[in-house]
Each structure stands twice: as C-alpha cells, then as structure tokens.
Amino acid sequence: MGTECRMERELGIECPMEQDQFDHDAAHGSMPEDSTSEQIEPRKEVNLYVGMEFESLDDAFKCYSNYAHNKGFSVRRNRITKSRSDKSIIGQEFVCSKEGFRSKKDSKADMPRDKTRQGCKALVYVSQKEEGKWIIARLVLEHNHVLASPYSKKFLRSKRKKSVAQKNLIDMLDQSGVRPSKIVSVLATQVGGIGNLNVTDHDVCNYLSTKRHKELEKGDAQLMLQYFQKRQSENPGFFYAIQVDIEGRLANCFWADAKSRSLYKHFGDVVTFDPTYLTNKYKMPFVPLTGVNHHYQSILFGGALLWDETEESFVWLLQTWLEAMLGCPPKTVITDQDTAITNAVARVLPHSTHHFCMWHIEKKFPETLSHIYHQNNDFKYHFSKCIHDTITPEEFEMAWTELIEKYKLQNNTWIQKVYSIRERWVPAFVRASFCAGMSTTQRSESMNKFFKDYLNSSTAMSKFVTQYDRAIEARYDKEKEKNFKTKNTKPILKTLYPMEVEAAKVYTRKIFRMFQDELLESQKYVSEKITMKDGVYKYRVHECQKEFPSYIVILNIVEQKVECSCHKFEFVGILCKHALMVFIKKQIHSLPMHYLLDRWTMSAICGRDEGDFSEKLHQAEPLRNSSMWFNDIMVRSLGISEKASRSAKHHRVALQGLQALSDKLDDLPYENEQDSSLSISQVDSHSEIHDPTQGQTSQKSITLFNPVTVASKGRPRTLRMKGGLEKSRKINKCSCCKEKGHNRSTCPKVKN
C-alpha cells in the first residue's frame, strides 16, 4: 500500500489512506500545530506532458487539480467526447476556471456578478486508450491572466473544499444554534488562524443551505409531523395537534412535551402568551405559553405556530392547549389588548381572570396623546402617579378624574376606551387577583428573546421544533441548577426573627430573598391603630417620618389572618412589609402556614403525588423504561375495559378493583431509582390532524404540505410583530394645530 501511495504522489493523486488518516486526525483534534489546509500539498511538483497515463478519468482530474493548486489557478471539467457506438465517454477536457467568456444572458441580470472568465486557453484533454487507460492527448500550459500567490491560493474555488472533519464540526455547531460567522471563527481557531482557513463565511452558508434543501425534499411540514410522531413514540406524554386547510397545507400547530404538561399541574395558575414573534421563513407567529415556576423562572406550557391572528385561530389554540393540559383552565391569563385574543379567551376560558399587558397600553399613551405631552411637560409625571401610585380603586378613580379634567380629555375616545377596560390593566384593580407578580407579557417576550439564540426569521419549521426542544432543555437545566443550589446551600440570615428561619427552610432561594427584602423593609415602617373590635385590629402603616403613601392593614389576631390594602400577598403570594410590620408589633414571630404558598416552596413538585417528577423525567434510561411500562399497562387495560363494559355489575367490580389498586400504588414506596415509575396521570395521545374545513380527522399517514412562503424584501427591521393596540390607527398630525399634512416644525400657526 505504501508503494501505491508513493506512485500516486508522484502522479499528483491524493492517497486515500493518507486522506482518511488526515480526516480522522482533524476530527479528533490530533493534528500537529502547523498542519493546515495550505500544507496538504503533493510532496513532489507534478510536471504534465502529452502522453502521461492515468488509471481512470478521475485520477487525471485529481492530478490536474493538484497541478493547478501548486501553480495558483482553479480548474473545472469542460466538454466531453462520447463513443458513437455505445455513447460511453472516451475523452474529456479539463480547463482553467477563467476559460471562455460570460454569456450575454447572464450579463443582463438585474444584479450581475463580477466577471471571472477571461478567455484563458490553458487546458488538458484526456482520451481513453484501447487497453482502458487514459492519456493526455492535448496540453496547453500558458495562461492569459495573473496566477494566485501562495498566500491567496486558499481563495481559489477548487481549493475551498471542506474536509469531513470540518463538515462534522459545522453540522454540530449549526445544530447548537451557532451563526455561520461564529462557525468560521471556530474553524479558524482550529487551524491556527483565519489565514490558514480554506473556507469563508459564504462557503459555510452555502453548505448549510444545500444541506437544508436536501433535508426538505420530503417537505418541511411533513418532516415536522414525522418529528412529532417520533417524539410521541418515544414518550406517550408528548402532545401535538395540527390543523390543515382545505388544500392539505399546514395552518396551525401546537405541541407540548411531557414535562411541560406535568409542570402545568403545579404552576398553571397564571399563564401569559404573546403572539408577536416571527421565527420561521413562513412568517408564522410563534406563540409560547409561559408561566412561572417555584424559582420565579419562566417556564413553557407548550408552543404554537399560527397561520394568522384571527379569533378562530386563537380559539383553536386555546381549546387544543386546554385539552393538552387535561381540561384544567388557569386562574389568570395575561395577554395583549387585542380584540381577537379577548374574544377567544372569553369563549374558551370564561372562568379565568383575563388581564391585559400594562406595558403595551402605557406605551400607546405618548403616541396617541403626543399633543398633550408636547404642550404639558408635567403630564407624564401626573399620568405615572395616577397609574402607579394609587393603591385602591377609589384612589385611582379620584386621580383619574382629576387628570382628565386638568388636561381636558373628557371627549377623547381613546382615553374613554382604555378607561372602560381599567379593571384589566390598572394595578389598583389587577393586584387584587393572583398573578405570580406578573402584570405584563414580559415573561413571553423574555422567552422570545431567549429563543433568538436558537432561531431566526429563515428557520425551517422542521428545524424550528428541534431547536425548540434544545432551547427548553436549556431551561430545564437552569431549573435543575436552582434546585441543586437551594438544596445544597444555606442563605445568609439578616434578622433574628423566627419567621426568617422558617422561610429559609421552605422557600426556594429566589422567593426567600424576596421575602427577606420585605422583612428588612418592614423595619422602616410604623403603624397607628385606627380601630379594634372583637380581636380585629385596623392599622394605618407608613414609613417613618413620611405620612404618605399610607396603607391600611387589618389583622384578625385570633385567626392570625392579615389583609393589606397593597394586596401584595394576593398578587404575588408572599406577605408584604406592611403586614409583616404589624405581625412583629403584635408579637407574631412565626409565619402562619396559610401564608406559605406551596407553589413557592421546594415541595411544590417533590411533595406532590408524582414524586420528584421534575428531576427524573428527562433522565434517558428511566424515561425509556417509563415509556415501556406505560405502554404495557395501557395495552393490558384495554382488555379490562372490554370486560368491564359487559354489564353494570362488571363495571362496578372493575371500579372497585381499580380504586383498590390505585390506593395500593399510592402507598407503595420507591425502593431505588430504578423502581421509580415516571407516570403521568391521565396521559392521552393526541396525534390526529384536524381539518377545520371538513370537520374530519386523518391518521398519521397523511401527507402534510408546507404553508405558503411569505416573500419579503431584505431583513425585517424586527422579528417582533405589533400587538392589536399597537397596530391601532397611527395618523401623522401636527402636535400643535392637529391638522394633517405637516408637523410642528412646519406648522403655519407656529411660524405666524
């Protein structure tokens, strides 16, 4: 084999054994420090001559390519000669890449590329001999252009070939969400600098684009469907639903993994979603349904891609999501102020409290009331004070009335509109219901920002769902990190109150620090008793040496129940500094158990009936066993269901037996990690594709077509779409005279 490699090197042919060894070394990082793509050259310069023989046509082309690399030009295959008898190739011409001239058709393009062909005559013509070998029959070595220098050879087109190791590294980095420009930086570091790298940003982009086109030959939407089916076969707890139009094209889709569904059982009291983020080449809004876990982290309860933002699409999304969450509606939903979303929530979640994002509404005030802002510099201050400094609804009503009268906004229709929905966005009203501390859709928007590291506006849907899984895996890992820190570290106590010690033992670290801040702040406050009757005390609480703002705290000393006008406990779930101050004053140094919400403690998951589901679900081996156990029990239960349906007596006996079995399983302890069953109660399998136009369902074998690609010019200014309130009328008017067609600087009245 060594003799054959030496002969091939003399002919300028790369030895397969040496090339395979190079690819192996490069892939395992064992290449010498000075090994670069520039140094993979034939050891002996090739001298071409007429009559030179080769074993095959490919060997001849490799030899000429190596010769061209040494000299500083690129080559390409050109005209071929075929046999008249059997049409087999008996000759081919290899030419310089600058041979010939550009066609007139290419020159008339809207954006023609720079010319590269200059009519170079250099070529090699190889013909086949009777015994099967190939020889150089014609040879022209002279060029009519400047050849590349040794330092610029790497830019030659035929030189910019990626090795197997480079392709594997590019694929791995791309799957990790690394941008092409960053991929080139990694490749350059690997070979000792950008000067030694034989590929460019453009080459990496072309490679990834070609690879994606090959992957999408079966159809982008079809690949996504197959991925969903694969995920569900691996874990029956995975849920997905797809809606198609009358032509079989993807319209809407929703999916949620098993852990998201499990977390919803513990933290699904408050949900927010924001359908304003474009994340794929079809410009379909991505809708993450977001909540808050016991570490005060954003968590996902599923994701959706919607075709449009109509009421029917949102109704389908909420109904499907509710089905995935076993029909348990959230207590509170926070969304943008959008008519379609509002109507959909009212139809699907009539018993849930619906709040609007305060930030989006406040953002619209300077745009809609620009003339007020320009004419009155103090309007912004009074407006902010009216919204954020009022504690009770009565205080807000008084401040709002004064604001409207002072700036003469009684007839402003937009002001009347936002006032009519004040109970859904003004803090004085909203804080009376539990929102886990959220008053805006900022959680959803922070999730959108988080996904930007994994997705972009040209991401294919099939890749989108896989990148989505990688993204939420990163979120799950953050949760595991917080669990570890809470269990294995102790917080620093800053007071001597027993309630601080109790809170440190039960709360997660983030929630404890929030409680600790409230406890420390309570020392800045004083109280004045207003009334006392039948063990119920009423206090006025305010900061030392400050009369305002003041808060009303009512304490039932017998039941140890407290109510503050700031409603922090009702809104966030931890006691406020005003209530803590009254507790300490009345010598209540231990926190009543009804003020330690389970959702903010480490037992929020671990103490429930499913065991430490959060920690164990995504461990590979237990998950695989759990799937097999679940499928086995599910198949066996079908036979029991058939027998139980024979008569009322059979049905009664089956229910009694199932109840006894359920009680026995609840009492069965886990002996070890392998015995831990990772079941999900009432897991269902939803893999049908719903057709809204015909009201029928089709099986998994359906062919799903891609949605229509939305053409766009250039890169969008932002991937975030505007919500309903933001998309309301925007008419350019003069801020001085309110007339259209000019602005303040060109206003005739100002000039006069």
Side-chain angles (χ1 to χ4, degrees), residues 63-77:
C63 177
Y64 190 46
S65 296
N66 289 333
Y67 171 82
H69 293 165
N70 288 331
K71 295 297 183 181
F73 67 96
S74 294
V75 297
R76 57 183 172 84
R77 299 175 186 263

Side-chain angles (χ1 to χ4, degrees), residues 48-52 136-139:
L48 303 178
Y49 55 89
V50 176
M52 190 174 184
I136 297 179
R138 186 154 51 98
L139 177 65

Side-chain angles (χ1 to χ4, degrees), residues 396-602:
F396 168 78
E397 297 289 353
M398 293 176 58
W400 183 268
T401 302
E402 293 176 2
L403 186 74
I404 298 302
E405 292 178 352
K406 180 177 181 179
Y407 297 101
K408 298 179 175 56
L409 297 173
Q410 294 88 340
N411 298 325
N412 190 295
T413 56
W414 190 83
I415 286 291
Q416 295 173 359
K417 178 181 178 181
V418 295
Y419 177 75
S420 65
I421 57 174
R422 62 193 181 281
E423 295 180 355
R424 294 190 175 186
W425 68 276
V426 175
F429 295 92
V430 170
R431 292 176 67 87
S433 58
F434 183 76
C435 297
M438 295 186 292
S439 61
T440 69
T441 57
Q442 184 180 3
R443 291 277 178 178
S444 291
E445 295 187 7
S446 66
M447 273 295 182
N448 290 338
K449 183 179 180 181
F450 170 74
F451 279 114
K452 284 183 180 180
D453 294 334
Y454 297 85
L455 309 165
N456 55 63
S457 58
S458 60
T459 303
M461 284 187 302
S462 54
K463 184 180 179 182
F464 176 89
V465 292
T466 58
Q467 292 293 77
Y468 171 91
D469 283 347
R470 291 189 178 92
I472 62 173
E473 283 294 335
R475 302 296 299 187
Y476 294 153
D477 193 63
K478 291 290 185 182
E479 179 188 344
K480 293 177 182 178
E481 180 186 3
K482 294 296 183 182
N483 284 339
F484 177 82
K485 288 184 177 180
T486 301
K487 292 178 180 178
N488 293 277
T489 61
K490 293 184 178 180
I492 298 175
L493 303 181
K494 299 180 180 180
T495 70
L496 298 178
Y497 296 123
M499 64 176 63
E500 185 182 17
V501 179
E502 296 169 355
K505 291 180 179 179
V506 296
Y507 280 143
T508 60
R509 191 55 37 81
K510 174 65 177 179
I511 301 302
F512 168 73
R513 286 173 179 163
M514 294 170 61
F515 172 81
Q516 190 179 56
D517 291 341
E518 293 293 323
L519 185 60
L520 293 174
E521 286 289 320
S522 69
Q523 300 177 7
K524 300 179 181 179
Y525 284 76
V526 295
S527 63
E528 301 170 0
K529 185 168 65 175
I530 302 176
T531 61
M532 191 279 288
K533 182 179 181 182
D534 299 331
V536 178
Y537 293 83
K538 186 175 183 180
Y539 291 94
R540 177 176 173 268
V541 181
H542 57 86
E543 283 192 66
C544 296
Q545 300 179 351
K546 288 185 181 180
E547 292 295 325
F548 297 98
S550 62
Y551 304 86
I552 302 300
V553 179
I554 301 175
L555 171 64
N556 188 319
I557 197 69
V558 178
E559 299 179 359
Q560 291 193 342
K561 291 185 177 180
V562 65
E563 180 181 343
C564 180
S565 58
C566 75
H567 293 296
K568 187 178 183 70
F569 180 78
E570 291 83 356
F571 184 66
V572 181
I574 61 175
L575 283 175
C576 63
K577 45 185 170 283
H578 321 112
L580 292 173
M581 183 269 159
V582 174
F583 268 176
I584 295 172
K585 181 175 183 176
K586 301 302 294 182
Q587 303 298 313
I588 302 176
H589 293 153
S590 294
L591 284 176
M593 291 303 298
H594 47 267
Y595 288 117
L596 292 170
L597 290 191
D598 195 42
R599 76 153 353 262
W600 294 130
T601 67
M602 283 301 297

Side-chain angles (χ1 to χ4, degrees), residues 617-633:
L617 182 63
H618 284 269
Q619 296 178 8
E621 188 62 29
L623 176 62
R624 196 176 302 117
N625 292 337
S626 172
S627 299
M628 292 189 293
W629 297 336
F630 179 88
N631 291 334
D632 181 62
I633 295 296

